[in-house]
Amino acid sequence: MGVVSAAADAAVVLFSLTIAVAAPLIDAQSVLPRHLFPAPLVALKRWYADEFGDYLVARPPGFLRGLVWLELAFLWPLSIATLYGILARRRWAATTSLVAGVSTLTSMSAIIGEILGSRKATPKLLQMYVPFAVFAVIAILRGLCSCIPCGTAGSSLGPTRKKRV
């Protein structure tokens, strides 16, 4: 079980690191003025949209802009917390992993649904989005299946001691 747990941790760290870097540098370009970003980042986003045929990134519809705001305000700080929590071996990292996974899976469901429903899905475009859905499921499972020491199930306060009178 230790190998599976370490693999899940590594996947969630990679996922969290990707969001921690991409959200403010790439995704934020969909909702913030272009002049706030250096030219190489703007060019990188444009190259990505052209190379992968990502019409959602090239011309973000309203729902995607809403998801980006959610990502910046909620998921980005949560990903940083999850990253720290896993690397520092904090118990609360299971909770942040679970919440980040649920948030990401919800967003990816809307995005992948739009891509498939629009009939503009290409294997190359799906290769960019499906891994985030997979990582989200791993993060959810990591949060739900974290080992809980005996005596702490159902409580975040740890084992209770009976007072001697």
Side-chain angles (χ1 to χ4, degrees):
M1 189 64 161
V3 172
V4 173
S5 179
D9 282 354
V12 174
V13 164
L14 177 64
F15 163 73
S16 298
L17 184 61
T18 302
I19 291 173
V21 172
L25 299 178
I26 306 297
D27 298 346
Q29 293 181 45
S30 297
V31 295
L32 297 174
R34 183 174 287 170
H35 71 272
L36 295 176
F37 300 94
L41 286 179
V42 174
L44 177 64
K45 181 184 173 206
R46 193 175 311 121
W47 170 84
Y48 162 77
D50 293 341
E51 180 70 22
F52 289 87
D54 196 337
Y55 68 97
L56 293 174
V57 170
R59 288 199 167 129
F63 88 93
L64 187 72
R65 287 191 303 271
L67 291 176
V68 169
W69 278 116
L70 177 67
E71 181 181 28
L72 291 173
F74 179 71
L75 187 58
W76 180 52
L78 195 59
S79 293
I80 293 169
T82 301
L83 190 59
Y84 169 76
I86 291 173
L87 295 176
R89 302 192 185 276
R90 301 289 187 231
R91 286 178 30 175
W92 48 259
T95 303
T96 59
S97 177
L98 174 64
V99 175
V102 168
S103 176
T104 302
L105 187 59
T106 302
S107 295
M108 286 300 106
S109 297
I111 292 169
I112 292 171
E114 160 61 28
I115 291 171
L116 293 174
S118 72
R119 303 204 187 280
K120 295 180 182 178
T122 63
K124 199 172 189 179
L125 183 57
L126 289 173
Q127 286 174 357
M128 290 306 297
Y129 285 105
V130 171
F132 281 97
V134 171
F135 282 134
V137 170
I138 293 169
I140 291 168
L141 292 174
R142 185 203 179 277
L144 291 175
C145 300
S146 292
C147 297
I148 301 172
C150 294
T152 61
S155 170
S156 61
L157 301 176
T160 57
R161 294 184 189 167
K162 294 183 179 181
K163 291 184 181 179
R164 294 187 179 190
V165 195

